[in-house]
Amino acid sequence: MNLYLIEIEAYNLTTHVIETLRFSTGNGFMTQPGEVPPNVFYEPCVSNAGYGRFDIFDKGTTGGASRVSRGSIELVNVDGGLDYLLNYALDGKRCVVRVGQQGGSYPADYPIIETFTMAQPKISWSTVSIIVRDRQSELDIPCQANLYSGNNVLPDGLEGTDDLKGQTKPLFLGQLFNFSTPCCNTSKLIYQVNDGAVNNISAVRDRGISLTRGADYISQADMMANAPAAGEYRAWLAGGYFRLGSTPVGQVTSDAEQGAASANRTAAQLAKQIAIRAGGISTADINASDITALDALNSAECGLAISGISRREALDVLCRSVGAWWGFDRSGIFRIQRLEVPSGVPVAVITYVEIDNDIQIDSEGLPAWRISVKYLRNQTVQNSDLAGAVTADRRAWLLDEYRTVTAEDSAIKAAHPLAEEMSVDTCMVSPAAAATEATRLLVLYGADRVRFALRILDRSIFPKISLGDVVELRHRRFDLSAGRLLRIIGMQPDYGLNRVDLTLWG
């Protein structure tokens, strides 16, 4: 019978020290003198070692944002022996679940199967519920927390006055086009493009007309002391600012670039930057091979304004742009992978022997016969107050938020008269990259796909599989006798009942 070991980081509110609290199912567990750590006891009070649901995307879909729902670890507290937990802070701390057989060697025979973060426990007369959260919750914070203080003493300062006080400073990754830029010094006509260094500010426009670029500034002092010529702008790239040489007559927008080279502006690289911004997520917490693999699959340059959204939302937008998903695996490592048609060698073979209930089949829905991919976002749609010299082509460009490419297959519509059209907003900037993605998505979603939902009781399979893995499903029904490769897009383990519900797609 499986023995579950629960290891909890807890901040002692009396000693102000982080301790490790240990609990187990069964009759308890003690590490041996030669093990690390030696002679520590796991109190036998766990009635349920936790559960949760993990989906690559929203449950039952193969698109959009990744989603995780969590439950709780339940501890028995009939005798009040766990009341001491009132003196500990668990929120934001790490919780590890291990599983093995009684008598095994620690830690080799008790591998980690889940890594959680926690909320404060709920303590009642007879139970303690430790509310667990996936590490995704660590990214439910703003990408940008820096605000303008509004304390300029004009003509000095870069924090604005009452007009900007309390507003979020601009922050972006990659490439942005026609971005509305706040004026953070109205006396010297200094505008902030980014709260940090940029690689280039390639264009500045007033009412749609490009201004002439003067020599770049070498420092903040240089920018504060020297005005550009009338009709010019000069950039201080290390600070993320530019200064105008004359008062604008209308809306000021700019094109800017962050990242030293195009290889630094891919969806994978930008996602890595956003994850690391969370503070608690380090480079070591990120699966480096996932970043390399996604870069190889899609190296298109992207651009995303992140000053008004959470880090989770930013990751969702980036991943949706290249057909990828993101999340944390059971070890708490950040993963990012593109959804692909199942292929290759399966990590496990699932047969009717392991399946506990009937297989439920759900069609993926009607295939898509036309895919539209939107790219090169115009950050400021302008349909009025443009200078007379703005060309007709440029006016048309400014009127639309996105450019669009399509891929279609009329044969799909012939087979499925009700076949759908699919549209995807992306933060890619290249028309060629957008066209390539549209073609790929047509292959992915233009075919007839099926989702299988099933429950397995063989717990030996669970450690072998992860979200995104390919498995082989064999069954006497549903044309599965020869086996079919499917990708895992949903998992719901229940450690109390030793079972796992899977959603397979292909």
Side-chain angles (χ1 to χ4, degrees):
M1 183 175 178
N2 287 328
L3 178 69
Y4 291 94
L5 306 180
I6 310 297
E7 300 168 353
I8 292 174
E9 290 180 354
Y11 182 85
N12 190 312
L13 296 171
T14 301
T15 65
H16 308 293
V17 172
I18 293 180
E19 303 174 9
T20 300
L21 308 180
R22 294 176 169 88
F23 310 101
S24 78
T25 57
N27 296 318
F29 178 78
M30 175 80 79
T31 62
Q32 298 302 304
E35 297 173 343
V36 180
N39 305 316
V40 295
F41 182 62
Y42 288 73
E43 188 174 350
C45 59
V46 178
S47 61
N48 192 310
Y51 58 91
R53 178 160 190 101
F54 314 80
D55 291 285
I56 283 180
F57 302 110
D58 284 329
K59 184 178 177 182
T61 72
T62 53
S66 57
R67 288 292 175 260
V68 174
S69 59
R70 290 293 195 183
S72 62
I73 294 172
E74 300 295 325
L75 309 179
V76 177
N77 189 36
V78 175
D79 61 359
L82 300 178
D83 290 352
Y84 70 88
L85 289 175
L86 288 168
N87 297 316
Y88 286 85
L90 273 58
D91 57 297
K93 308 298 189 302
R94 199 69 55 88
C95 173
V96 166
V97 180
R98 298 177 181 269
V99 66
Q101 298 296 313
Q102 188 77 48
S105 176
Y106 183 93
D109 295 333
Y110 296 91
I112 295 174
I113 58 170
E114 294 290 353
T115 300
F116 307 113
T117 57
M118 297 174 289
Q120 279 297 88
K122 294 182 178 179
I123 301 176
S124 69
W125 186 263
S126 59
T127 63
V128 173
S129 296
I130 298 175
I131 310 302
V132 294
R133 297 175 175 173
D134 186 80
R135 291 198 70 186
Q136 284 192 7
S137 62
E138 297 176 34
L139 296 162
D140 286 328
I141 54 178
C143 289
Q144 171 65 308
N146 295 335
L147 309 177
Y148 286 109
S149 62
N151 62 356
N152 282 359
V153 179
L154 296 175
D156 296 321
L158 296 174
E159 292 291 329
T161 54
D162 287 342
D163 59 331
L164 289 183
K165 185 176 182 178
Q167 293 187 29
T168 304
K169 292 186 176 182
L171 188 68
F172 78 97
L173 297 174
Q175 286 186 298
L176 289 191
F177 298 89
N178 209 43
F179 173 61
S180 294
T181 315
C183 182
C184 60
N185 185 311
T186 52
S187 291
K188 296 189 176 183
L189 301 178
I190 297 174
Y191 292 74
Q192 186 170 22
V193 171
N194 190 54
D195 188 18
V198 295
N199 188 57
N200 195 15
I201 301 175
S202 56
V204 174
R205 301 179 185 87
D206 178 8
R207 293 184 67 206
I209 295 294
S210 294
L211 305 180
T212 302
R213 183 173 185 173
D216 288 348
Y217 294 114
I218 61 173
S219 66
Q220 180 175 337
D222 184 18
M223 178 178 68
M224 300 301 288
N226 299 294
E232 285 188 351
Y233 77 96
R234 296 178 63 184
W236 177 39
L237 300 180
Y241 298 89
F242 64 82
R243 181 174 177 178
L244 301 185
S246 50
T247 302
V249 295
Q251 177 74 58
V252 175
T253 61
S254 61
D255 297 348
E257 179 182 278
Q258 178 269 345
S262 59
N264 303 116
R265 298 189 284 269
T266 65
Q269 295 300 324
L270 300 189
K272 180 180 177 180
Q273 288 186 53
I274 289 169
I276 292 174
R277 279 181 177 272
I281 298 174
S282 67
T283 301
D285 292 327
I286 296 175
N287 187 300
S289 61
D290 280 1
I291 302 297
T292 301
L294 186 55
D295 269 342
L297 292 169
N298 192 323
S299 60
E301 292 187 56
C302 296
L304 181 64
I306 60 175
S307 55
I309 59 178
S310 72
R311 292 167 189 180
R312 180 197 288 267
E313 291 170 325
L315 286 168
D316 287 346
V317 172
L318 284 168
C319 287
R320 189 162 50 241
S321 296
V322 295
W325 60 273
W326 70 276
F328 291 87
D329 65 17
R330 290 192 292 272
S331 298
I333 299 299
F334 179 85
R335 307 298 305 272
I336 180 170
Q337 297 180 355
R338 191 168 78 172
L339 180 66
E340 306 280 4
V341 175
S343 64
V345 179
V347 298
V349 176
I350 300 172
T351 69
Y352 70 92
V353 175
E354 293 85 22
I355 298 174
D356 179 51
N357 61 349
D358 294 336
I359 298 175
Q360 299 179 28
I361 299 178
D362 184 9
S363 170
E364 177 68 2
L366 291 171
W369 76 278
R370 174 183 287 160
I371 306 287
S372 297
V373 172
K374 298 180 180 180
Y375 69 99
L376 193 60
R377 185 182 182 188
N378 169 17
Q379 299 289 328
T380 307
V381 174
Q382 294 173 276
N383 55 15
S384 62
D385 193 32
L386 294 172
V390 177
T391 66
D393 285 347
R394 182 64 183 173
R395 288 175 183 271
W397 193 97
L398 293 170
L399 191 60
D400 292 328
E401 185 177 8
Y402 288 99
R403 310 323 103 194
T404 304
V405 294
T406 61
E408 61 182 58
D409 185 350
S410 58
I412 296 172
K413 196 167 181 62
H416 296 279
L418 299 181
E420 301 173 343
E421 297 186 31
M422 177 179 171
S423 180
V424 180
D425 295 351
T426 79
C427 53
M428 292 188 290
V429 302
S430 163
T436 298
E437 180 64 6
T439 299
R440 188 189 76 86
L441 292 176
L442 186 62
V443 172
L444 196 66
Y445 295 112
D448 293 279
R449 306 290 180 191
V450 177
R451 292 194 306 273
F452 296 88
L454 52 95
R455 174 172 294 166
I456 57 176
L457 292 180
D458 183 359
R459 279 288 294 114
S460 66
I461 290 179
F462 185 54
K464 304 175 185 177
I465 60 177
S466 298
L467 279 181
D469 282 349
V470 173
V471 297
E472 182 179 331
L473 180 61
R474 295 179 184 172
H475 201 277
R476 66 181 182 275
R477 297 283 304 275
F478 312 122
D479 199 28
L480 295 170
S481 58
R484 179 170 178 169
L485 293 181
L486 297 165
R487 194 169 297 278
I488 301 173
I489 63 170
M491 303 172 64
Q492 184 169 343
D494 188 320
Y495 303 124
L497 298 175
N498 287 310
R499 68 190 187 192
V500 183
D501 291 346
L502 297 178
T503 303
L504 310 177
W505 170 88

